[in-house]
PDB file of all heavy atoms in Angstrom:
ATOM      1  N   ILE A  47       0.592   8.733   6.181  1.00 93.00           N
ATOM      2  CA  ILE A  47       2.046   8.655   6.382  1.00 93.00           C
ATOM      3  C   ILE A  47       2.770   9.577   5.414  1.00 93.00           C
ATOM      4  O   ILE A  47       3.751  10.241   5.772  1.00 93.00           O
ATOM      5  CB  ILE A  47       2.540   7.201   6.181  1.00 93.00           C
ATOM      6  CG1 ILE A  47       1.758   6.240   7.065  1.00 93.00           C
ATOM      7  CG2 ILE A  47       4.032   7.093   6.478  1.00 93.00           C
ATOM      8  CD1 ILE A  47       1.845   6.545   8.538  1.00 93.00           C
ATOM      9  N   VAL A  48       2.313   9.589   4.177  1.00 91.00           N
ATOM     10  CA  VAL A  48       2.892  10.442   3.138  1.00 91.00           C
ATOM     11  C   VAL A  48       1.754  11.141   2.409  1.00 91.00           C
ATOM     12  O   VAL A  48       0.761  10.507   2.069  1.00 91.00           O
ATOM     13  CB  VAL A  48       3.723   9.621   2.118  1.00 91.00           C
ATOM     14  CG1 VAL A  48       4.275  10.529   1.021  1.00 91.00           C
ATOM     15  CG2 VAL A  48       4.853   8.873   2.802  1.00 91.00           C
ATOM     16  N   PRO A  58       9.446   5.111   4.896  1.00 93.00           N
ATOM     17  CA  PRO A  58       8.795   4.143   5.778  1.00 93.00           C
ATOM     18  C   PRO A  58       9.095   2.691   5.395  1.00 93.00           C
ATOM     19  O   PRO A  58       9.008   2.327   4.229  1.00 93.00           O
ATOM     20  CB  PRO A  58       7.309   4.452   5.577  1.00 93.00           C
ATOM     21  CG  PRO A  58       7.232   4.940   4.153  1.00 93.00           C
ATOM     22  CD  PRO A  58       8.529   5.644   3.869  1.00 93.00           C
ATOM     23  N   VAL A  59       9.457   1.894   6.377  1.00 93.00           N
ATOM     24  CA  VAL A  59       9.549   0.444   6.199  1.00 93.00           C
ATOM     25  C   VAL A  59       8.541  -0.174   7.161  1.00 93.00           C
ATOM     26  O   VAL A  59       8.610   0.052   8.375  1.00 93.00           O
ATOM     27  CB  VAL A  59      10.968  -0.094   6.494  1.00 93.00           C
ATOM     28  CG1 VAL A  59      10.982  -1.620   6.388  1.00 93.00           C
ATOM     29  CG2 VAL A  59      11.983   0.505   5.526  1.00 93.00           C
ATOM     30  N   VAL A  60       7.596  -0.931   6.629  1.00 94.00           N
ATOM     31  CA  VAL A  60       6.515  -1.490   7.450  1.00 94.00           C
ATOM     32  C   VAL A  60       7.047  -2.648   8.296  1.00 94.00           C
ATOM     33  O   VAL A  60       7.643  -3.590   7.777  1.00 94.00           O
ATOM     34  CB  VAL A  60       5.352  -1.983   6.563  1.00 94.00           C
ATOM     35  CG1 VAL A  60       4.225  -2.542   7.434  1.00 94.00           C
ATOM     36  CG2 VAL A  60       4.831  -0.844   5.685  1.00 94.00           C
ATOM     37  N   VAL A  61       6.820  -2.559   9.604  1.00 93.00           N
ATOM     38  CA  VAL A  61       7.217  -3.627  10.526  1.00 93.00           C
ATOM     39  C   VAL A  61       6.010  -4.519  10.836  1.00 93.00           C
ATOM     40  O   VAL A  61       6.112  -5.738  10.883  1.00 93.00           O
ATOM     41  CB  VAL A  61       7.811  -3.027  11.820  1.00 93.00           C
ATOM     42  CG1 VAL A  61       8.120  -4.136  12.832  1.00 93.00           C
ATOM     43  CG2 VAL A  61       9.078  -2.229  11.512  1.00 93.00           C
ATOM     44  N   SER A  62       4.855  -3.899  11.025  1.00 93.00           N
ATOM     45  CA  SER A  62       3.613  -4.656  11.219  1.00 93.00           C
ATOM     46  C   SER A  62       2.459  -3.823  10.672  1.00 93.00           C
ATOM     47  O   SER A  62       2.579  -2.610  10.489  1.00 93.00           O
ATOM     48  CB  SER A  62       3.395  -4.980  12.700  1.00 93.00           C
ATOM     49  OG  SER A  62       3.188  -3.789  13.444  1.00 93.00           O
ATOM     50  N   GLY A  63       1.335  -4.494  10.413  1.00 94.00           N
ATOM     51  CA  GLY A  63       0.192  -3.800   9.846  1.00 94.00           C
ATOM     52  C   GLY A  63       0.318  -3.646   8.343  1.00 94.00           C
ATOM     53  O   GLY A  63       1.077  -4.370   7.692  1.00 94.00           O
ATOM     54  N   SER A  64      -0.395  -2.678   7.773  1.00 94.00           N
ATOM     55  CA  SER A  64      -0.356  -2.485   6.320  1.00 94.00           C
ATOM     56  C   SER A  64      -0.670  -1.041   5.961  1.00 94.00           C
ATOM     57  O   SER A  64      -1.300  -0.312   6.732  1.00 94.00           O
ATOM     58  CB  SER A  64      -1.336  -3.426   5.616  1.00 94.00           C
ATOM     59  OG  SER A  64      -2.655  -3.227   6.097  1.00 94.00           O
ATOM     60  N   ILE A  65      -0.221  -0.636   4.771  1.00 95.00           N
ATOM     61  CA  ILE A  65      -0.436   0.718   4.252  1.00 95.00           C
ATOM     62  C   ILE A  65      -0.987   0.597   2.843  1.00 95.00           C
ATOM     63  O   ILE A  65      -0.551  -0.264   2.077  1.00 95.00           O
ATOM     64  CB  ILE A  65       0.899   1.501   4.207  1.00 95.00           C
ATOM     65  CG1 ILE A  65       1.488   1.652   5.611  1.00 95.00           C
ATOM     66  CG2 ILE A  65       0.710   2.881   3.571  1.00 95.00           C
ATOM     67  CD1 ILE A  65       2.880   2.271   5.614  1.00 95.00           C
ATOM     68  N   LYS A  66      -1.926   1.471   2.501  1.00 93.00           N
ATOM     69  CA  LYS A  66      -2.370   1.529   1.116  1.00 93.00           C
ATOM     70  C   LYS A  66      -1.792   2.784   0.465  1.00 93.00           C
ATOM     71  O   LYS A  66      -1.757   3.854   1.071  1.00 93.00           O
ATOM     72  CB  LYS A  66      -3.896   1.499   1.001  1.00 93.00           C
ATOM     73  CG  LYS A  66      -4.638   2.612   1.705  1.00 93.00           C
ATOM     74  CD  LYS A  66      -6.139   2.405   1.552  1.00 93.00           C
ATOM     75  CE  LYS A  66      -6.928   3.461   2.319  1.00 93.00           C
ATOM     76  NZ  LYS A  66      -8.392   3.212   2.235  1.00 93.00           N
ATOM     77  N   VAL A  67      -1.320   2.610  -0.763  1.00 93.00           N
ATOM     78  CA  VAL A  67      -0.710   3.708  -1.513  1.00 93.00           C
ATOM     79  C   VAL A  67      -1.702   4.133  -2.593  1.00 93.00           C
ATOM     80  O   VAL A  67      -2.159   3.312  -3.391  1.00 93.00           O
ATOM     81  CB  VAL A  67       0.630   3.279  -2.125  1.00 93.00           C
ATOM     82  CG1 VAL A  67       1.227   4.412  -2.966  1.00 93.00           C
ATOM     83  CG2 VAL A  67       1.607   2.871  -1.020  1.00 93.00           C
ATOM     84  N   LEU A  78      -6.551   3.244  -5.827  1.00 88.00           N
ATOM     85  CA  LEU A  78      -5.576   2.440  -5.092  1.00 88.00           C
ATOM     86  C   LEU A  78      -4.516   1.903  -6.053  1.00 88.00           C
ATOM     87  O   LEU A  78      -4.846   1.324  -7.080  1.00 88.00           O
ATOM     88  CB  LEU A  78      -6.284   1.270  -4.405  1.00 88.00           C
ATOM     89  CG  LEU A  78      -5.395   0.247  -3.702  1.00 88.00           C
ATOM     90  CD1 LEU A  78      -4.745   0.852  -2.466  1.00 88.00           C
ATOM     91  CD2 LEU A  78      -6.208  -0.980  -3.317  1.00 88.00           C
ATOM     92  N   LEU A  79      -3.246   2.102  -5.705  1.00 89.00           N
ATOM     93  CA  LEU A  79      -2.157   1.593  -6.531  1.00 89.00           C
ATOM     94  C   LEU A  79      -1.657   0.243  -6.020  1.00 89.00           C
ATOM     95  O   LEU A  79      -1.522  -0.705  -6.782  1.00 89.00           O
ATOM     96  CB  LEU A  79      -1.002   2.599  -6.557  1.00 89.00           C
ATOM     97  CG  LEU A  79      -1.329   3.984  -7.122  1.00 89.00           C
ATOM     98  CD1 LEU A  79      -0.100   4.877  -7.078  1.00 89.00           C
ATOM     99  CD2 LEU A  79      -1.867   3.877  -8.545  1.00 89.00           C
ATOM    100  N   TYR A  80      -1.381   0.156  -4.715  1.00 89.00           N
ATOM    101  CA  TYR A  80      -0.909  -1.106  -4.138  1.00 89.00           C
ATOM    102  C   TYR A  80      -0.896  -1.008  -2.612  1.00 89.00           C
ATOM    103  O   TYR A  80      -1.070   0.077  -2.056  1.00 89.00           O
ATOM    104  CB  TYR A  80       0.488  -1.484  -4.650  1.00 89.00           C
ATOM    105  CG  TYR A  80       1.515  -0.371  -4.584  1.00 89.00           C
ATOM    106  CD1 TYR A  80       2.159  -0.032  -3.397  1.00 89.00           C
ATOM    107  CD2 TYR A  80       1.876   0.321  -5.740  1.00 89.00           C
ATOM    108  CE1 TYR A  80       3.111   0.965  -3.354  1.00 89.00           C
ATOM    109  CE2 TYR A  80       2.824   1.336  -5.711  1.00 89.00           C
ATOM    110  CZ  TYR A  80       3.442   1.655  -4.512  1.00 89.00           C
ATOM    111  OH  TYR A  80       4.381   2.662  -4.466  1.00 89.00           O
ATOM    112  N   TYR A  81      -0.705  -2.143  -1.978  1.00 92.00           N
ATOM    113  CA  TYR A  81      -0.578  -2.204  -0.525  1.00 92.00           C
ATOM    114  C   TYR A  81       0.879  -2.464  -0.138  1.00 92.00           C
ATOM    115  O   TYR A  81       1.619  -3.126  -0.872  1.00 92.00           O
ATOM    116  CB  TYR A  81      -1.434  -3.335   0.054  1.00 92.00           C
ATOM    117  CG  TYR A  81      -2.917  -3.083   0.036  1.00 92.00           C
ATOM    118  CD1 TYR A  81      -3.742  -3.719  -0.881  1.00 92.00           C
ATOM    119  CD2 TYR A  81      -3.500  -2.219   0.966  1.00 92.00           C
ATOM    120  CE1 TYR A  81      -5.110  -3.493  -0.889  1.00 92.00           C
ATOM    121  CE2 TYR A  81      -4.874  -1.998   0.963  1.00 92.00           C
ATOM    122  CZ  TYR A  81      -5.666  -2.639   0.037  1.00 92.00           C
ATOM    123  OH  TYR A  81      -7.017  -2.413   0.035  1.00 92.00           O
ATOM    124  N   LEU A  82       1.260  -1.955   1.038  1.00 93.00           N
ATOM    125  CA  LEU A  82       2.557  -2.281   1.629  1.00 93.00           C
ATOM    126  C   LEU A  82       2.309  -3.147   2.854  1.00 93.00           C
ATOM    127  O   LEU A  82       1.482  -2.811   3.705  1.00 93.00           O
ATOM    128  CB  LEU A  82       3.299  -1.011   2.056  1.00 93.00           C
ATOM    129  CG  LEU A  82       3.559   0.045   0.981  1.00 93.00           C
ATOM    130  CD1 LEU A  82       4.277   1.248   1.593  1.00 93.00           C
ATOM    131  CD2 LEU A  82       4.375  -0.535  -0.159  1.00 93.00           C
ATOM    132  N   THR A  83       3.013  -4.252   2.946  1.00 92.00           N
ATOM    133  CA  THR A  83       2.879  -5.184   4.062  1.00 92.00           C
ATOM    134  C   THR A  83       4.225  -5.298   4.785  1.00 92.00           C
ATOM    135  O   THR A  83       5.226  -4.747   4.326  1.00 92.00           O
ATOM    136  CB  THR A  83       2.409  -6.555   3.547  1.00 92.00           C
ATOM    137  OG1 THR A  83       3.313  -7.014   2.529  1.00 92.00           O
ATOM    138  CG2 THR A  83       1.004  -6.461   2.947  1.00 92.00           C
ATOM    139  N   PRO A  84       4.293  -5.995   5.932  1.00 92.00           N
ATOM    140  CA  PRO A  84       5.541  -6.064   6.703  1.00 92.00           C
ATOM    141  C   PRO A  84       6.754  -6.460   5.860  1.00 92.00           C
ATOM    142  O   PRO A  84       6.699  -7.393   5.062  1.00 92.00           O
ATOM    143  CB  PRO A  84       5.220  -7.111   7.770  1.00 92.00           C
ATOM    144  CG  PRO A  84       3.759  -6.917   8.027  1.00 92.00           C
ATOM    145  CD  PRO A  84       3.171  -6.637   6.669  1.00 92.00           C
ATOM    146  N   GLY A  85       7.832  -5.699   6.052  1.00 91.00           N
ATOM    147  CA  GLY A  85       9.068  -5.943   5.314  1.00 91.00           C
ATOM    148  C   GLY A  85       9.163  -5.155   4.028  1.00 91.00           C
ATOM    149  O   GLY A  85      10.162  -5.250   3.314  1.00 91.00           O
ATOM    150  N   GLU A  86       8.137  -4.337   3.726  1.00 92.00           N
ATOM    151  CA  GLU A  86       8.125  -3.580   2.473  1.00 92.00           C
ATOM    152  C   GLU A  86       8.193  -2.079   2.730  1.00 92.00           C
ATOM    153  O   GLU A  86       7.890  -1.599   3.821  1.00 92.00           O
ATOM    154  CB  GLU A  86       6.869  -3.906   1.664  1.00 92.00           C
ATOM    155  CG  GLU A  86       6.807  -5.338   1.191  1.00 92.00           C
ATOM    156  CD  GLU A  86       5.598  -5.603   0.317  1.00 92.00           C
ATOM    157  OE1 GLU A  86       4.570  -4.910   0.463  1.00 92.00           O
ATOM    158  OE2 GLU A  86       5.689  -6.520  -0.516  1.00 92.00           O
ATOM    159  N   SER A  87       8.575  -1.357   1.685  1.00 92.00           N
ATOM    160  CA  SER A  87       8.582   0.099   1.713  1.00 92.00           C
ATOM    161  C   SER A  87       7.981   0.608   0.411  1.00 92.00           C
ATOM    162  O   SER A  87       7.694  -0.175  -0.503  1.00 92.00           O
ATOM    163  CB  SER A  87      10.007   0.631   1.895  1.00 92.00           C
ATOM    164  OG  SER A  87      10.005   2.036   2.012  1.00 92.00           O
ATOM    165  N   CYS A  88       7.789   1.919   0.339  1.00 89.00           N
ATOM    166  CA  CYS A  88       7.186   2.535  -0.841  1.00 89.00           C
ATOM    167  C   CYS A  88       8.283   3.033  -1.771  1.00 89.00           C
ATOM    168  O   CYS A  88       8.994   3.984  -1.447  1.00 89.00           O
ATOM    169  CB  CYS A  88       6.275   3.678  -0.419  1.00 89.00           C
ATOM    170  SG  CYS A  88       5.529   4.531  -1.815  1.00 89.00           S
ATOM    171  N   ILE A  89       8.418   2.397  -2.934  1.00 89.00           N
ATOM    172  CA  ILE A  89       9.476   2.755  -3.873  1.00 89.00           C
ATOM    173  C   ILE A  89       9.309   4.188  -4.370  1.00 89.00           C
ATOM    174  O   ILE A  89      10.289   4.900  -4.608  1.00 89.00           O
ATOM    175  CB  ILE A  89       9.531   1.756  -5.058  1.00 89.00           C
ATOM    176  CG1 ILE A  89      10.770   2.007  -5.913  1.00 89.00           C
ATOM    177  CG2 ILE A  89       8.262   1.831  -5.885  1.00 89.00           C
ATOM    178  CD1 ILE A  89      12.087   1.807  -5.222  1.00 89.00           C
ATOM    179  N   VAL A  90       8.064   4.652  -4.513  1.00 88.00           N
ATOM    180  CA  VAL A  90       7.824   6.027  -4.958  1.00 88.00           C
ATOM    181  C   VAL A  90       8.377   7.014  -3.929  1.00 88.00           C
ATOM    182  O   VAL A  90       8.992   8.026  -4.283  1.00 88.00           O
ATOM    183  CB  VAL A  90       6.321   6.279  -5.195  1.00 88.00           C
ATOM    184  CG1 VAL A  90       6.069   7.726  -5.618  1.00 88.00           C
ATOM    185  CG2 VAL A  90       5.783   5.323  -6.253  1.00 88.00           C
ATOM    186  N   SER A  91       8.190   6.718  -2.640  1.00 89.00           N
ATOM    187  CA  SER A  91       8.719   7.567  -1.575  1.00 89.00           C
ATOM    188  C   SER A  91      10.245   7.534  -1.546  1.00 89.00           C
ATOM    189  O   SER A  91      10.900   8.559  -1.341  1.00 89.00           O
ATOM    190  CB  SER A  91       8.165   7.126  -0.216  1.00 89.00           C
ATOM    191  OG  SER A  91       6.762   7.249  -0.185  1.00 89.00           O
ATOM    192  N   ILE A 103       2.278  10.438  -4.592  1.00 90.00           N
ATOM    193  CA  ILE A 103       1.264   9.523  -4.053  1.00 90.00           C
ATOM    194  C   ILE A 103       0.892   9.933  -2.630  1.00 90.00           C
ATOM    195  O   ILE A 103       1.528  10.786  -2.024  1.00 90.00           O
ATOM    196  CB  ILE A 103       1.766   8.056  -4.048  1.00 90.00           C
ATOM    197  CG1 ILE A 103       3.118   7.922  -3.312  1.00 90.00           C
ATOM    198  CG2 ILE A 103       1.891   7.528  -5.453  1.00 90.00           C
ATOM    199  CD1 ILE A 103       3.073   7.714  -1.833  1.00 90.00           C
ATOM    200  N   LYS A 104      -0.168   9.307  -2.120  1.00 92.00           N
ATOM    201  CA  LYS A 104      -0.538   9.433  -0.713  1.00 92.00           C
ATOM    202  C   LYS A 104      -0.490   8.044  -0.096  1.00 92.00           C
ATOM    203  O   LYS A 104      -0.989   7.086  -0.698  1.00 92.00           O
ATOM    204  CB  LYS A 104      -1.936  10.036  -0.569  1.00 92.00           C
ATOM    205  CG  LYS A 104      -2.382  10.201   0.885  1.00 92.00           C
ATOM    206  CD  LYS A 104      -3.613  11.083   1.019  1.00 92.00           C
ATOM    207  CE  LYS A 104      -4.867  10.403   0.578  1.00 92.00           C
ATOM    208  NZ  LYS A 104      -6.089  11.187   0.877  1.00 92.00           N
ATOM    209  N   ALA A 105       0.113   7.923   1.076  1.00 94.00           N
ATOM    210  CA  ALA A 105       0.194   6.636   1.772  1.00 94.00           C
ATOM    211  C   ALA A 105      -0.625   6.728   3.060  1.00 94.00           C
ATOM    212  O   ALA A 105      -0.378   7.604   3.896  1.00 94.00           O
ATOM    213  CB  ALA A 105       1.640   6.279   2.081  1.00 94.00           C
ATOM    214  N   VAL A 106      -1.600   5.832   3.190  1.00 95.00           N
ATOM    215  CA  VAL A 106      -2.531   5.848   4.325  1.00 95.00           C
ATOM    216  C   VAL A 106      -2.497   4.491   5.022  1.00 95.00           C
ATOM    217  O   VAL A 106      -2.505   3.440   4.363  1.00 95.00           O
ATOM    218  CB  VAL A 106      -3.973   6.149   3.847  1.00 95.00           C
ATOM    219  CG1 VAL A 106      -4.931   6.214   5.030  1.00 95.00           C
ATOM    220  CG2 VAL A 106      -4.012   7.442   3.043  1.00 95.00           C
ATOM    221  N   VAL A 107      -2.473   4.508   6.345  1.00 95.00           N
ATOM    222  CA  VAL A 107      -2.466   3.252   7.104  1.00 95.00           C
ATOM    223  C   VAL A 107      -3.797   2.535   6.905  1.00 95.00           C
ATOM    224  O   VAL A 107      -4.867   3.098   7.155  1.00 95.00           O
ATOM    225  CB  VAL A 107      -2.213   3.522   8.599  1.00 95.00           C
ATOM    226  CG1 VAL A 107      -2.335   2.222   9.398  1.00 95.00           C
ATOM    227  CG2 VAL A 107      -0.833   4.135   8.800  1.00 95.00           C
ATOM    228  N   GLU A 108      -3.736   1.307   6.432  1.00 93.00           N
ATOM    229  CA  GLU A 108      -4.927   0.480   6.248  1.00 93.00           C
ATOM    230  C   GLU A 108      -5.258  -0.243   7.542  1.00 93.00           C
ATOM    231  O   GLU A 108      -6.374  -0.208   8.041  1.00 93.00           O
ATOM    232  CB  GLU A 108      -4.681  -0.535   5.122  1.00 93.00           C
ATOM    233  CG  GLU A 108      -5.730  -1.601   4.969  1.00 93.00           C
ATOM    234  CD  GLU A 108      -6.962  -1.145   4.197  1.00 93.00           C
ATOM    235  OE1 GLU A 108      -6.986   0.002   3.725  1.00 93.00           O
ATOM    236  OE2 GLU A 108      -7.903  -1.942   4.090  1.00 93.00           O
ATOM    237  N   GLU A 109      -4.264  -0.907   8.081  1.00 91.00           N
ATOM    238  CA  GLU A 109      -4.395  -1.687   9.321  1.00 91.00           C
ATOM    239  C   GLU A 109      -3.359  -1.155  10.299  1.00 91.00           C
ATOM    240  O   GLU A 109      -2.216  -0.928   9.916  1.00 91.00           O
ATOM    241  CB  GLU A 109      -4.137  -3.158   8.999  1.00 91.00           C
ATOM    242  CG  GLU A 109      -4.299  -4.116  10.139  1.00 91.00           C
ATOM    243  CD  GLU A 109      -3.917  -5.534   9.730  1.00 91.00           C
ATOM    244  OE1 GLU A 109      -3.297  -5.713   8.669  1.00 91.00           O
ATOM    245  OE2 GLU A 109      -4.225  -6.447  10.504  1.00 91.00           O
ATOM    246  N   ALA A 111      -0.466   0.043  12.335  1.00 95.00           N
ATOM    247  CA  ALA A 111       0.872  -0.373  11.903  1.00 95.00           C
ATOM    248  C   ALA A 111       1.989   0.173  12.788  1.00 95.00           C
ATOM    249  O   ALA A 111       1.859   1.237  13.402  1.00 95.00           O
ATOM    250  CB  ALA A 111       1.101   0.082  10.458  1.00 95.00           C
ATOM    251  N   ILE A 113       5.826   1.308  12.023  1.00 95.00           N
ATOM    252  CA  ILE A 113       6.619   1.653  10.842  1.00 95.00           C
ATOM    253  C   ILE A 113       7.965   2.231  11.265  1.00 95.00           C
ATOM    254  O   ILE A 113       8.016   3.126  12.114  1.00 95.00           O
ATOM    255  CB  ILE A 113       5.863   2.674   9.963  1.00 95.00           C
ATOM    256  CG1 ILE A 113       4.522   2.075   9.518  1.00 95.00           C
ATOM    257  CG2 ILE A 113       6.701   3.072   8.751  1.00 95.00           C
ATOM    258  CD1 ILE A 113       3.619   3.063   8.829  1.00 95.00           C
ATOM    259  N   LEU A 138      11.833  -4.074  -4.679  1.00 90.00           N
ATOM    260  CA  LEU A 138      10.606  -3.305  -4.493  1.00 90.00           C
ATOM    261  C   LEU A 138      10.153  -2.683  -5.809  1.00 90.00           C
ATOM    262  O   LEU A 138       8.967  -2.705  -6.145  1.00 90.00           O
ATOM    263  CB  LEU A 138      10.831  -2.180  -3.476  1.00 90.00           C
ATOM    264  CG  LEU A 138      10.833  -2.535  -1.999  1.00 90.00           C
ATOM    265  CD1 LEU A 138      11.177  -1.291  -1.185  1.00 90.00           C
ATOM    266  CD2 LEU A 138       9.500  -3.104  -1.556  1.00 90.00           C
ATOM    267  N   LYS A 141       8.545  -5.299  -8.046  1.00 89.00           N
ATOM    268  CA  LYS A 141       7.238  -5.732  -7.555  1.00 89.00           C
ATOM    269  C   LYS A 141       6.181  -4.652  -7.769  1.00 89.00           C
ATOM    270  O   LYS A 141       5.072  -4.928  -8.237  1.00 89.00           O
ATOM    271  CB  LYS A 141       7.323  -6.087  -6.071  1.00 89.00           C
ATOM    272  CG  LYS A 141       5.999  -6.603  -5.508  1.00 89.00           C
ATOM    273  CD  LYS A 141       6.131  -7.053  -4.069  1.00 89.00           C
ATOM    274  CE  LYS A 141       4.799  -7.614  -3.570  1.00 89.00           C
ATOM    275  NZ  LYS A 141       4.862  -8.036  -2.161  1.00 89.00           N
ATOM    276  N   ARG A 142       6.524  -3.402  -7.426  1.00 86.00           N
ATOM    277  CA  ARG A 142       5.570  -2.305  -7.577  1.00 86.00           C
ATOM    278  C   ARG A 142       5.252  -2.058  -9.035  1.00 86.00           C
ATOM    279  O   ARG A 142       4.108  -1.748  -9.399  1.00 86.00           O
ATOM    280  CB  ARG A 142       6.110  -1.024  -6.944  1.00 86.00           C
ATOM    281  CG  ARG A 142       6.395  -1.113  -5.451  1.00 86.00           C
ATOM    282  CD  ARG A 142       5.126  -1.144  -4.606  1.00 86.00           C
ATOM    283  NE  ARG A 142       4.608  -2.449  -4.287  1.00 86.00           N
ATOM    284  CZ  ARG A 142       4.816  -3.084  -3.136  1.00 86.00           C
ATOM    285  NH1 ARG A 142       5.589  -2.554  -2.209  1.00 86.00           N
ATOM    286  NH2 ARG A 142       4.240  -4.252  -2.917  1.00 86.00           N
ATOM    287  N   GLU A 145       2.757  -4.550 -10.112  1.00 84.00           N
ATOM    288  CA  GLU A 145       1.443  -4.252  -9.542  1.00 84.00           C
ATOM    289  C   GLU A 145       0.785  -3.075 -10.255  1.00 84.00           C
ATOM    290  O   GLU A 145      -0.437  -3.068 -10.469  1.00 84.00           O
ATOM    291  CB  GLU A 145       1.577  -3.965  -8.042  1.00 84.00           C
ATOM    292  CG  GLU A 145       1.872  -5.211  -7.232  1.00 84.00           C
ATOM    293  CD  GLU A 145       2.144  -4.926  -5.774  1.00 84.00           C
ATOM    294  OE1 GLU A 145       2.598  -3.818  -5.456  1.00 84.00           O
ATOM    295  OE2 GLU A 145       1.909  -5.818  -4.947  1.00 84.00           O
ATOM    296  N   LEU A 172      -4.902  -9.389   3.533  1.00 87.00           N
ATOM    297  CA  LEU A 172      -4.254  -8.474   4.477  1.00 87.00           C
ATOM    298  C   LEU A 172      -4.722  -8.729   5.905  1.00 87.00           C
ATOM    299  O   LEU A 172      -3.929  -8.763   6.843  1.00 87.00           O
ATOM    300  CB  LEU A 172      -4.561  -7.022   4.104  1.00 87.00           C
ATOM    301  CG  LEU A 172      -3.779  -6.386   2.958  1.00 87.00           C
ATOM    302  CD1 LEU A 172      -4.278  -4.975   2.708  1.00 87.00           C
ATOM    303  CD2 LEU A 172      -2.286  -6.364   3.249  1.00 87.00           C
TER     304      LEU A 172
END
Side-chain angles (χ1 to χ4, degrees):
I47 306 301
V48 178
V59 176
V60 181
V61 175
S62 65
S64 58
I65 298 173
K66 59 183 177 183
V67 177
L78 174 69
L79 300 180
Y80 49 79
Y81 288 105
L82 303 179
T83 55
E86 295 184 333
S87 184
C88 178
I89 189 63
V90 178
S91 298
I103 54 87
K104 180 167 74 172
V106 182
V107 175
E108 170 81 3
E109 183 184 14
I113 301 171
L138 282 176
K141 182 175 182 181
R142 300 287 92 99
E145 288 174 333
L172 281 177

